[in-house]
Amino acid sequence: MATVPRPGAYVCGIDAAMDVIGGKWKVLILWALDEHGSCRFGELRRQVPGITEKVLAAHLRELETDGIVHREAYDEVPPRVEYTLTEVGRHLNAALGPLGAWGREHVLGGAPHPA
Amino acid sequence: MATVPRPGAYVCGIDAAMDVIGGKWKVLILWALDEHGSCRFGELRRQVPGITEKVLAAHLRELETDGIVHREAYDEVPPRVEYTLTEVGRHLNAALGPLGAWGREHVLGGAPHPA
DNA sequence: CTGGATCCAAAAAGATACTG
DNA sequence: CAGTATCTTTTTGGATCCAG
C-alpha cells in the first residue's frame, strides 16, 4: 500500500501518513519494534500473533521502503536479520501517540494499561 | 471497516482508532467537516473529489455509527441533510494533528500550506 | 531461520442506473 | 437532493509449499 513513489498526489499530510501505516498489522509491527528496539523476523512473528510470514515480510518491505524501519542482515548460518525503527519511524510512533490515546478513550473503555 | 460492535478485540488504542478511520476517504471527510463545520451530502461530494456516492454514503454511515459524525435530516422538499462532527469527532481530528504533521514533514516535502 | 512464489478468499472501492 | 441497488474490478490478506 505504500511503496514510496506513491502514485497518487496526496491531498494532505494525513492521508500520506495513512498510506504508510494503512496495513492491517503495520501499527502493531511499529509498536513491537518500539517496545523491543530491535527484533528478528521470527521474534516479530511472535510479537504480532496471527500474522502470516508472507504478510509480515510484505509489510516489513514496505516499511523499509518508506524509511520507517531499518533492515540489517547478518551473513551467518543460520541467517539472522534484525529490524529496527529508523529516526523517522520513531517520530511516526510519537505522532501516533495522541491517536492511540483517543482510541483507548473513545473506542475502548477506560485505559487498563498504557499502549 | 468500523461498524461499532467491532468483532476483533483490539490489541491497543491505535488499531482501534485505525479501524475507525481506516477507509480510503475517511480522514478527508473528517477534514472537510472540520473545516466547514457542517456539510450537506452533495457539498461533501464536492469537497472530496473522486469519491463516489456509494462510498461516501457508506463511510458516512460508518462514521455516524462510530459516533464521529452527527446526521441531521430535515424533512423538507427538496430533501436536506446536514452532517457535522460530534465532540468525539473533533477530538479525533485533534488527535490526527501530529500524524498529519509527520506526513507533511516526512512523506511530502516541506509544508506548502497547513492541513 | 528468513523469506520468496503461488493460488485463493475476502474486503473494499468504482461504475452506473434508479428511486423517494 | 440524497441516497439505494447491482455488478465489476481492484486491493489485501490468508494458506501453503518451497528454497537459500
Side-chain angles (χ1 to χ4, degrees):
Chain A
M1 54 224 34
T3 322
V4 142
R6 240 75 267 289
Y10 299 117
V11 177
C12 64
I14 294 177
D15 65 329
M18 289 298 296
D19 196 21
V20 172
I21 59 176
K24 189 173 180 182
W25 311 90
K26 291 236 179 117
V27 297
L28 267 33
I29 295 172
L30 292 188
W31 186 36
L33 285 175
D34 202 43
E35 273 199 320
H36 294 75
S38 180
C39 283
R40 305 182 52 169
F41 187 87
E43 228 173 321
L44 278 173
R45 197 171 39 176
R46 283 186 295 277
Q47 294 295 327
V48 186
I51 197 171
T52 64
E53 300 152 350
K54 173 202 166 186
V55 174
L56 177 55
H59 281 185
L60 283 172
R61 256 183 283 119
E62 291 187 353
L63 290 170
E64 187 192 359
T65 306
D66 289 332
I68 308 301
V69 310
H70 172 70
R71 178 181 186 275
E72 189 75 38
Y74 300 90
D75 198 0
E76 308 173 351
V77 36
R80 183 166 64 98
V81 178
E82 295 276 354
Y83 291 94
T84 50
L85 287 181
T86 63
E87 190 73 6
V88 172
R90 285 190 291 277
H91 286 161
L92 172 56
N93 248 337
L96 247 20
L99 188 60
W102 180 89
R104 284 194 302 281
E105 188 173 350
H106 295 286
V107 183
L108 314 174
H113 52 78
Chain B
M1 53 228 31
T3 323
V4 142
R6 239 77 267 291
Y10 299 118
V11 176
C12 62
I14 295 177
D15 64 328
M18 288 298 297
D19 198 21
V20 171
I21 58 174
K24 189 173 178 182
W25 312 90
K26 290 237 178 116
V27 296
L28 267 33
I29 294 172
L30 292 188
W31 187 35
L33 285 175
D34 201 43
E35 273 199 320
H36 294 75
S38 181
C39 283
R40 306 181 52 168
F41 188 88
E43 229 173 320
L44 278 172
R45 200 172 34 179
R46 282 185 295 276
Q47 294 295 327
V48 185
I51 196 171
T52 63
E53 299 151 352
K54 174 202 166 186
V55 173
L56 177 56
H59 282 185
L60 283 172
R61 257 182 282 117
E62 291 186 354
L63 290 170
E64 186 192 0
T65 306
D66 289 332
I68 308 302
V69 311
H70 173 70
R71 178 182 187 275
E72 189 76 38
Y74 300 88
D75 198 359
E76 309 173 352
V77 39
R80 184 166 64 97
V81 178
E82 295 277 353
Y83 292 94
T84 50
L85 286 181
T86 63
E87 190 73 4
V88 172
R90 284 191 291 275
H91 285 160
L92 172 56
N93 248 338
L96 247 19
L99 188 60
W102 179 89
R104 283 193 303 281
E105 188 174 348
H106 295 286
V107 183
L108 314 175
H113 52 80

